[in-house]
Amino acid sequence: MFAVIFDKNTTDENTAKCVEYYIDELGCDANIVPSFTNDDFNLLDAAYENNKTKTFDLLLNKDITPDKWLTAIIATEFLVFFRENSDGIKDKKASPELLEFIKTLKYKEFKEEKFKLIKKLLDLGQDPYYYGYLRVILKIVGDEKDLDNLLKNETQKELAQ
């Protein structure tokens, strides 16, 4: 399943069909972790990282467990986005240009899209603890409150159950 996800010549639609066939018809485990990695990198991480959104959505509906790798990928996307649109973060400090950039609609839309994904992942059982790296990044730019609220709400849901 990893091979078809990583294959750049296979469309997202065909990848999703193949993965669905492997899981539903052949009984493959959606939570498989490949032997070529030492960590919990799974199919969901691979689909997200390879921008195969249909495959990613399919996997979310197959009881796959979102793990810590996905949070690291999302946090890194924030760093890359900051670097592409401003001077970014240097020496654990936000540049004045970055502090102005986070006030823009472009940043707000990017953040909203990522936070919808985070909420979805948390609702599927992802551990809020894994978002510590993203929290550090957002704290540097003074924009961690929304993430704190999201994580707090999810932690409170867990305690209530």
Side-chain angles (χ1 to χ4, degrees):
M1 287 187 284
F2 281 93
V4 74
I5 291 174
F6 282 112
D7 186 348
K8 303 284 186 213
N9 295 320
T10 304
T11 66
D12 187 18
E13 291 79 13
N14 285 340
T15 300
K17 286 177 187 175
C18 290
V19 169
E20 186 169 39
Y21 175 78
Y22 291 141
I23 294 169
D24 293 347
E25 301 299 323
L26 300 179
C28 294
D29 183 3
N31 284 295
I32 189 170
V33 176
S35 60
F36 61 80
T37 180
N38 294 330
D39 293 311
D40 295 331
F41 186 83
N42 62 28
L43 293 169
L44 193 62
D45 304 326
Y48 185 80
E49 199 166 38
N50 285 280
N51 201 29
K52 294 202 172 177
T53 55
K54 288 187 187 317
T55 306
F56 181 81
D57 289 339
L58 168 84
L59 289 166
L60 285 177
N61 294 318
K62 296 291 182 188
D63 293 326
I64 196 164
T65 306
D67 65 8
K68 64 185 174 189
W69 273 107
L70 202 46
T71 63
I73 295 167
I74 293 167
T76 302
E77 286 179 323
F78 272 84
L79 289 174
V80 170
F81 188 72
F82 290 159
R83 174 64 66 194
E84 289 175 347
N85 292 283
S86 71
D87 285 338
I89 296 173
K90 295 177 186 170
D91 299 322
K92 298 180 184 176
K93 293 181 184 170
S95 68
E97 184 182 18
L98 176 54
L99 294 175
E100 285 302 311
F101 174 70
I102 65 164
K103 298 175 187 174
T104 66
L105 182 60
K106 184 176 183 178
Y107 170 67
K108 289 176 182 165
E109 289 172 346
F110 171 82
K111 180 178 142 184
E112 183 179 331
E113 176 188 323
K114 297 302 173 194
F115 274 40
K116 282 180 185 176
L117 172 61
I118 291 169
K119 170 111 177 68
K120 188 180 212 179
L121 295 171
L122 291 169
D123 288 345
L124 290 169
Q126 190 176 46
D127 189 341
Y129 174 79
Y130 296 146
Y131 286 94
Y133 181 51
L134 178 57
R135 187 185 185 287
V136 168
I137 292 166
L138 294 176
K139 187 173 174 105
I140 290 171
V141 298
D143 192 29
E144 75 279 7
K145 288 181 184 170
D146 291 334
L147 180 63
D148 287 347
N149 288 335
L150 181 62
L151 297 178
K152 181 180 172 189
N153 289 340
E154 288 302 315
T155 303
Q156 287 174 345
K157 272 192 220 175
E158 284 179 10
L159 292 175
Q161 296 174 356

